[in-house]
Amino acid sequence: MRPSNPYEPDTEERLREENRLLRQQLEALKGSVHAPSHTRVPRNVWRPSNVSLWSIALGAAALLVIAFFAGYIPLQKRKTLIGSEAVEEQQALPRAEVTEVIRSPPGSELELPGNIQAITEAPILARASGYVQKRLVDIGDRVKTGQDLAEIEAPELKQQVLEATATFEQSQATLDEALANYEQGKTSLELARATARRWSQLVNRGVVSVQENDQYQSQYQAQLSSVHSLEKAIAAQKSGVAAATANLSRLQELQGYLVVKAPFDGLITLRNLDTGALVTAGETLIYRIAQIDTVRTYVNVPQTNANSIRTGQTALLTVSNLPGRVFNGVVARTANSLDPNTRTMLVEIHVPNKQGVLFPGMYAQVDLNSTRANPPLLIPSDALVVRPEGTEVAVLRPDHTVHLQQIQIGRDYGDRLEILSGLQEGDNIIHNPGDLAREDLKVNPIFQSDKAAVSPGDAEQR
């Protein structure tokens, strides 16, 4: 705070008032001296002498002169100083705060939203039609591989198994009969072959007629065809037995599915049916099971950071309902391609979850710290000049003149902007240019280092 001046207008007014009172007292004294004799005061009343009166008058006049000059002269000096400073300011160059264009750090702080999912999740469907006889687990239960989850009652399946067993036994019996016929046919074939051979030898010697030989030769050929037919019948019966066996095995497998089992270790996240509900094979959902010892999180990385994401790099996860806790994850795989609609790359992150505090379906913030080979340039967001001609910044030339340079903006950090093109590292730009954004305008630059060197008192005086 500036100290008060004893010669301010209030002090001058007070001195003038005292001077006026003194003059009134002086006039009163003079009036009492020249008053008629009958009005004079008694002799014992004190009367000031002429010397005292003149001394008082001279003192008052001196005080009045001193007060006048003490207030007028500083006021005139102040007016003169203010006028000279105004002229100086009009003639001086406009001041401009200048900042240097720098590169962003190589380490990129990339924070993206992600969705947490189970590492493995599967629906449990009914493989056999029937009614739910017993439900053994419920939502939230942890199960092991092969553990019984539910039992299904299917009486018609038992009847189908009995029918398939009978069909199998019938096919097997038919096959055995065909095999017996085949063995008999082979025996008859051997006899016919031997008879035909002997008759062929006899006809060559002229002992028997040719007609009798042809008869036995025909019998041999007929028996040979019969054996071939029996072989085909055996093959057909074997196929029938195989079909009956397969059908029986299928139904027996279906009987095994009457007890629904867990395919892997996990957590029951959904129960869709109660006891007594009708289920249809391959269509009815009974449970949903998820494995959450390790969870996976999917994030969509923008194109500008897609090349810096590598498999195996670390990631940090935070969730809003667990404040203060940070979960370590690893990038398991990337899509290695961009979605043409969003220009983002899908990245899968695996996070250990032994304690089970992370649930599938949670929303998380994923911090991916990556290292960029060519980090972009950074400028303050206040240095931006937006005009119809385009986005520009005011660049300070070496001769302290302004040049408006068009730029291409990358990511927006709020108080900072990434510059993709138009500037070079080390360029000086005007911070918050305002009216200084004029081409070839000469300015008086104030660099950040010079500004930091100025003390607060000096800055206030300026």
Side-chain angles (χ1 to χ4, degrees), residues 13-23 60 63:
E13 185 65 26
R14 188 173 63 253
L15 293 175
R16 288 179 179 178
E17 182 65 22
E18 292 178 356
N19 188 15
R20 186 178 62 80
L21 292 175
L22 290 174
R23 282 192 288 181
L63 288 176

Side-chain angles (χ1 to χ4, degrees), residues 7 20 62 91 242 333 361 373 376 379 402:
Y7 300 106
R20 186 178 62 80
Q91 295 178 352
R333 58 186 60 88
I379 65 169
V402 176

Side-chain angles (χ1 to χ4, degrees), residues 61 73 96 123 128 134 161 233 251 265 270 333 359 379 411-412 431:
I73 293 175
K134 188 183 296 183
V161 171
L251 293 174
D265 296 350
L270 175 66
R333 58 186 60 88
F359 300 151
I379 65 169
R411 296 185 62 191
D412 187 352
H431 185 79

Side-chain angles (χ1 to χ4, degrees), residues 384-393 405-409:
L384 203 62
V385 180
V386 180
R387 293 186 174 181
E389 295 81 5
T391 305
E392 301 173 336
V393 292
Q405 176 67 40
Q406 289 193 353
I407 59 173
Q408 183 181 359
I409 300 176

